Amino acid sequence: MSARTAQLLLVLALFAAAHGAVTGCGSEQGSGRGAQARTPGHSPMAEARARQVADAWDGSEAARAWRKGYYPIGEVVQLPEDAFHDAADKLAFGNQNFALRGQLPAAPRKNGRVKWESGGSLTLPLMEARQAYEAVARGGNDGPHLTVTGAKLGEMTLDTSRGPATVPAWLFTLDGYGTPLKRAAVRPLKPSTPPVEPVAEGPSDTLQPLSQLVGTARDGRSVTVIADHGACDDGPAVAVLETDGSVVLSASVVGANEGPCTKQLLHEKVTVKLDRPLGDRILLDAFTGRPVPYGGPGLRA
């Protein structure tokens, strides 16, 4: 064999090995960085844990209670149609900086009704306008602020674990805006005790807790979650196990580097595609064994 032939064979072998490494990585999902998310298939331990969580929830009393309750998976705070007028107003909302000019009304009744698009309703206690305002206006710095000049009780539509619903809402008038800022006026029910315990050990490269759910695609075929990772790794990965009754997400960190590293906790949006729409299936975190909590920008439902 000539030296040139031997070199060619070596190059082809290396190419084949690299190609196999790439195609063996599993499905790819979109991430908050705009790059392809690192989403390998389940490790044996993570897959076993995801199956344990799915089996515990499917058909459980906790799952039945979840499907009968009010649990938002969409924004409980909705912006005015013409928001925002400028960067200062956008910054004020992000920092939850509000100023109140005038008095807020009392709730006209004790209870309000949540009505689902698919049928069914639920009566829940109404939150006072002051409580709703304080849930939004948590900032307190000297930067830009939005001014609330009044409020009235109305309605808003948002996504829930049972599909779209019309819920009572406080409609806050903002100085300079033609449409109100809406805040749901009923609180989610307290979830039932989960039928499975959290992972006994702390977070590891194999399994990490998810931070929160931040959105569901309009067609229900993908969900976007926030996953945590460190400063010395390649970022988070989220694998998915789908059953008829649940969707279990398993978060992990990939490419962790050995050696000294700063103790930084970074957050990244990861969009996970589903084989079929989420529907009324329960979105679960494999690490905690609980439904993934929903939370918009600084606003956890």
Side-chain angles (χ1 to χ4, degrees), residues 269-287:
K269 288 183 180 180
V270 179
T271 297
V272 182
K273 295 179 182 178
L274 306 178
D275 290 337
R276 55 191 176 90
L278 179 62
D280 66 350
R281 292 183 295 171
I282 306 171
L283 189 68
L284 300 166
D285 179 359
F287 186 93

Side-chain angles (χ1 to χ4, degrees), residues 119-199:
S121 63
L122 188 64
T123 299
L124 295 171
L126 275 177
M127 157 188 321
E128 291 286 347
R130 169 65 68 172
Q131 293 173 309
Y133 172 77
E134 291 175 351
V136 174
R138 293 176 177 171
N141 62 53
D142 295 329
H145 63 269
L146 293 163
T147 300
V148 172
T149 59
K152 65 178 181 180
L153 191 64
E155 292 182 331
M156 63 188 286
T157 300
L158 56 78
D159 290 329
T160 76
S161 58
R162 295 168 57 179
T166 300
V167 305
W170 284 106
L171 313 182
F172 292 101
T173 304
L174 296 183
D175 188 25
Y177 285 84
T179 56
L181 173 80
K182 301 177 182 179
R183 208 293 179 186
V186 290
R187 293 187 176 90
L189 295 175
K190 182 178 179 181
S192 301
T193 302
V196 61
E197 293 292 326
V199 170

Side-chain angles (χ1 to χ4, degrees), residues 13-14 19 37 47 58 76 105 109 123 137 139 158 169 184 187 212 231 244 259-260 294:
L14 291 173
H19 181 70
E47 185 174 3
D58 288 355
V76 297
R109 54 186 183 276
T123 299
L158 56 78
R187 293 187 176 90
Q212 62 188 42
D244 289 341
Y294 174 79

Side-chain angles (χ1 to χ4, degrees), residues 73-74 159-160 213-224 274 277-279 283 294:
I73 59 171
D159 290 329
T160 76
L213 168 70
V214 293
T216 304
R218 187 174 295 276
D219 62 3
R221 298 191 73 96
S222 68
V223 295
T224 300
L274 306 178
L278 179 62
L283 189 68
Y294 174 79

Side-chain angles (χ1 to χ4, degrees), residues 33 62 66 79 91 123-124 132 137 141-142 151 165 178 233 240 247-248 284 301:
R33 298 184 192 181
W66 181 268
L79 299 175
L91 180 63
T123 299
L124 295 171
N141 62 53
D142 295 329
D233 54 55
V240 58
V247 173
V248 185
L284 300 166

